[in-house]
Amino acid sequence: MPRPGHIPGAASLYWTKALASKEDPVLRPPAELRALLEAAGAAPGDTVVTYCRTGVQASHSYFVARYLGYEARLYDGSFSEWSARDDTPVEGPPAATPAP
């Protein structure tokens, strides 16, 4: 990444957290998924914008948000595009990527 970090105001929710487990890669029950999004700061009725480094993992999070009834947007340029621009703010050091 040209400028490591994250988009200001973004909260991290790694996409695999929505899965039951690595051995059973199905979605968690809706109540658990809602609790994950709410713990990340997405209140019912909020618009959720998903992004990652290149947009691939963010598409899974977009699906989950839509599945739960959130208004959702996918920033398909993701952080690769954002961090390459000179006119966009970047916050903090790069987030550690949790092991799958």
Side-chain angles (χ1 to χ4, degrees):
M1 291 292 111
R3 294 182 295 147
H6 62 273
I7 297 172
S12 178
L13 178 56
Y14 196 64
W15 73 277
T16 59
K17 298 286 186 190
L19 302 178
S21 70
K22 185 177 180 179
E23 296 74 28
D24 186 21
V26 297
L27 287 178
R28 292 178 181 273
E32 290 181 24
L33 294 172
R34 279 189 193 85
L36 286 170
L37 265 73
E38 288 179 16
D46 282 353
T47 297
V48 173
V49 179
T50 65
Y51 78 93
C52 57
R53 285 178 55 142
T54 61
V56 175
Q57 295 172 357
S59 62
H60 186 272
S61 299
Y62 170 86
F63 171 82
V64 169
R66 291 293 302 234
Y67 171 69
L68 295 175
Y70 283 89
E71 179 67 32
R73 303 273 190 261
L74 172 67
Y75 176 26
D76 64 346
S78 276
F79 199 67
S80 293
E81 177 181 272
W82 185 274
S83 67
R85 295 180 56 145
D86 293 332
D87 61 339
T88 55
V90 172
E91 223 173 60
T97 303

